[in-house]
Amino acid sequence: QVQLVESGGGLVQAGDSLRLSCAASGRTFSIDAVGWFRQTPEKERELIATITASGGDTYYADSVKGRFTISRDNAKNTVYLQMNSLKPEDTARYYCAAQRYGAYDTWGQGTQVFVSS
């Protein structure tokens, strides 16, 4: 099994930055990729960024492209999401998930981000 724990959320003002962390433990060698998702009560869950196990391939949703950067430190089994130029519409609960065998089958508990205007 794989366990994921997110951290780094908080309350910031528009234009500020935050860095979220996703620490993995367990059978981490089985992870093909890690994705960051976000969700609000009003919107469906949105995939915003992914990174492959090697770190060689990344994906960004248009809503965050140019502002967010996903990276990983394999020695620490941790994936990061650097979020710059935050906007009020970035307010959401952010989750990381591990993709194994073609599906995101393991999720963290999430970390809340509030961006005030």
Side-chain angles (χ1 to χ4, degrees), residues 26-82:
R27 298 170 63 89
T28 58
F29 59 86
S30 64
I31 299 174
D32 298 320
V34 173
W36 280 101
F37 296 75
R38 65 185 182 186
Q39 189 168 20
T40 68
E42 298 78 24
K43 297 181 181 179
E44 292 186 358
R45 185 174 59 198
E46 178 187 15
L47 174 62
I48 57 173
T50 66
I51 189 166
T52 55
S54 65
D57 293 314
T58 58
Y59 158 84
Y60 297 96
D62 288 343
S63 56
V64 305
K65 195 174 296 182
R67 299 188 298 123
F68 291 10
T69 303
I70 190 170
S71 63
R72 66 188 302 146
D73 184 337
N74 286 337
K76 297 182 178 179
N77 288 324
T78 300
V79 173
Y80 303 99
L81 186 67
Q82 178 67 43

